[in-house]
Each structure stands twice: as C-alpha cells, then as structure tokens.
Amino acid sequence: MKLNPFNTRIGLALGGGAAKGIAHIGVLKAFEEEKIRIHCISGTSAGALIASYYAFGRPAESILSICSTLNLSKIINFTFKPGGLFSTDSIREMIHRDLGDCRIEDADIPLAICATDIETGEQLVFREGNLADAVCASMAVPGLFVPVEINGRILVDGGLVENVPISPLAQMGAGITVAVDLSHVSRYPKPEDTFDVISNAINIAIDFSTRKQLKKADISVPLDLSRYSLTNNADCVEELYMEGYRPMLKKIRQVLWYKRMNVVISLVKAVGKVLPFKVPEVLKGLKRLT
C-alpha cells in the first residue's frame, strides 16, 4: 500500500473476547464524547457483533443497553447438528430484531467482519453480504458453536487467524488504525482440569499471533480483562464498560496527535522503508568512485 500523508481517516479494529466484548462499547463511547469520527470499522467474534451495531447507526449507550444482559446462556441453543454443541440462531434472531435482515454494504460506516474457513485455514473478510450470516460465522467458536456455511465454505470464529482484525482497515481506506485487544493478559488461569489446559493452550497460540499483529496498528489499546468472565459479566457491566472507556480516553490524545502529524509520520515510515535498501547501494557507488 502506498503511504498517503494526507489520509487521516480513522479505522477501528475490535477484537474477540466473548462476554468481555462489553469493553468495546466503552471504547466507542470515548470516541463519541470527543467527537472523533470513525471512518471504517472491523470486528472479529464479539467485536464483529459490537462493530455491526455501531456501523448501522446505534450509539454506544444504545448498544450497552442491548448487550448488558447478554451471557452465554442467552445466546446458545442446543443442537443435534454435527460440528458443535450449540447453534448461533439466537445471535441471528437478535440481529434481525435490532437491525433487520440487512446487508453489510448498507451500513452507515464501512464495515468488515472476519471469519475463518475451517477447511483451508484462510481468513475471510466480509464487506458485503448478509450481516447476520457473517456475524454468526465470526462468532462460531470451534467445538462450541456449529460452523456457519456461506457460499459453500464452512466458517468459524475469525479469531483463529486474526483476533484483532487490523489488516482489512487499510483496504477500507484507513490512514490511521486503532486496534482494541481484549485478551492482553500476562498470565493465564491455573488449569484445574483437561478442558482448562486445552483452553489455555488455544488462548496462548491466538494471543501470541495477536501481539505480533498489533504491531501493525498505529495505536493499540491492549486490555487485561483476565478477571472477567468469557461467558457472563451481567453483574459487572458498568465496570467492564469502563475498562474500555478509560484506556481509550487516554489514547484519544494520541489519535488526535496522529491526525495532526500524519504527514511527518508518513514521511518517517517512508524513509524507514527506503533507507535499509538504498544506503548500501550508495555506499557501493562511493567505493567505486574512490
């Protein structure tokens, strides 16, 4: 991608984190309070759900009122279909109830939703198509939810490939990328049984990849939410909401700084890319002249 020093369009990436996704709503509230426009938004898993509501015009307070009572028991339906214990039907019904049977390309803010093809391991980025289908696919945790089939492809949680979906933002025209990671932990829970060991192993693998991917963002907001539940935070909604709001509010100045200094930052990035290759060539030329 060519660097554009005059591009100050902000792209926001919201990562996965199940019931911890309420923290994303606090992040959005910080942007709203400071009247900073988000030009495009991407999401994976729980981040895909929150991003969808915001992209379709729901303000942060409205999203909070909808999602504050969400927990695993309310969004799961036992199923006898192969591939998982539960279906994503409740998630689909919720989207239809609140936003309608809509298409991604009709969002007020350009929206990207990420899922993973469980057969090829490929990341699929949905920027058009049925909204509910894409969100359900992005939230289909392998082994827990039945995979979602779209256009003949068997899809599961997008977090397997890119838990904080920064990569689609550049293609959507973002000049400044902000990434919110809900899983930035320094230590994992002590395993009590086999399931805990497997869960920790999966999370370690995903988080290792995520930390490398976060380096591609201009501004990252890493949140350690290890004391919150992945399944039900109904008794600490406001607290979890503030876990996203406060750190993002502190980062807002950095966002504004990027907007003002983007020309200089882009030039520094450009020089950094050019120098490692050009300097040796110049030195070789000088040696030939002496």
Side-chain angles (χ1 to χ4, degrees), residues 30-272:
F31 275 94
E32 287 181 354
E33 279 195 359
E34 296 300 317
K35 296 180 171 57
I36 298 177
R37 179 185 174 190
I38 297 170
H39 295 84
C40 55
I41 189 167
S42 62
T44 292
S45 197
L49 182 66
I50 304 300
S52 296
Y53 273 79
Y54 197 73
F56 274 88
R58 293 297 183 98
E61 292 291 345
S62 173
I63 303 172
L64 183 63
S65 66
I66 294 168
C67 296
S68 60
T69 59
L70 284 184
N71 56 63
L72 189 63
S73 65
K74 290 190 177 182
I75 64 171
I76 62 174
N77 291 330
F78 283 100
T79 182
F80 295 102
K81 295 179 182 178
L85 300 174
F86 314 109
S87 76
T88 52
D89 290 346
S90 294
I91 299 170
R92 185 183 306 277
E93 290 169 4
M94 185 178 75
I95 293 171
H96 285 171
R97 180 196 69 205
D98 297 329
L99 302 178
D101 188 11
C102 50
R103 296 183 64 80
I104 298 169
E105 61 267 30
D106 294 330
D108 299 331
I109 301 172
L111 170 66
I113 296 170
C114 299
T116 302
D117 186 319
I118 197 62
E119 294 182 294
T120 67
E122 179 186 0
Q123 180 189 50
L124 265 69
V125 179
F126 291 95
R127 293 179 56 189
E128 58 183 24
N130 185 272
L131 176 69
D133 286 348
V135 173
C136 287
S138 185
M139 296 184 71
V141 179
L144 188 62
F145 288 100
V146 175
V148 176
E149 183 173 346
I150 300 178
N151 297 328
R153 305 189 75 164
I154 309 301
L155 306 178
V156 297
D157 195 323
L160 294 180
V161 177
E162 191 176 18
N163 198 40
V164 184
I166 303 161
S167 62
L169 296 175
Q171 298 175 359
M172 299 169 75
I176 301 168
T177 54
V178 182
V180 184
D181 177 20
L182 303 182
S183 306
H184 199 84
V185 300
S186 57
R187 190 177 183 85
Y188 296 87
K190 182 179 180 180
E192 301 292 338
D193 51 35
T194 303
F195 177 80
D196 288 345
V197 172
I198 295 172
S199 177
N200 277 12
I202 293 172
N203 288 331
I204 289 169
I206 292 175
D207 293 347
F208 180 76
S209 297
T210 299
R211 291 180 192 224
K212 291 195 295 183
Q213 292 161 358
L214 284 174
K215 295 177 182 178
K216 299 177 183 178
D218 294 310
I219 299 168
S220 62
V221 186
L223 304 178
D224 184 349
L225 305 178
S226 54
R227 64 194 186 94
Y228 296 93
S229 171
L230 283 168
T231 59
N232 186 3
N233 292 300
D235 59 343
C236 54
V237 170
E238 187 65 25
E239 187 178 353
L240 185 52
Y241 170 82
M242 295 303 291
E243 292 278 10
Y245 173 78
R246 284 191 293 259
M248 191 66 247
L249 205 58
K250 291 179 181 179
K251 292 276 187 175
I252 288 293
R253 289 185 180 179
Q254 192 175 351
V255 174
L256 294 173
W257 182 83
Y258 255 87
K259 285 178 70 70
R260 296 187 187 107
M261 298 293 292
N262 202 46
V263 172
V264 175
I265 294 168
S266 295
L267 289 174
V268 170
K269 287 181 179 179
V271 170

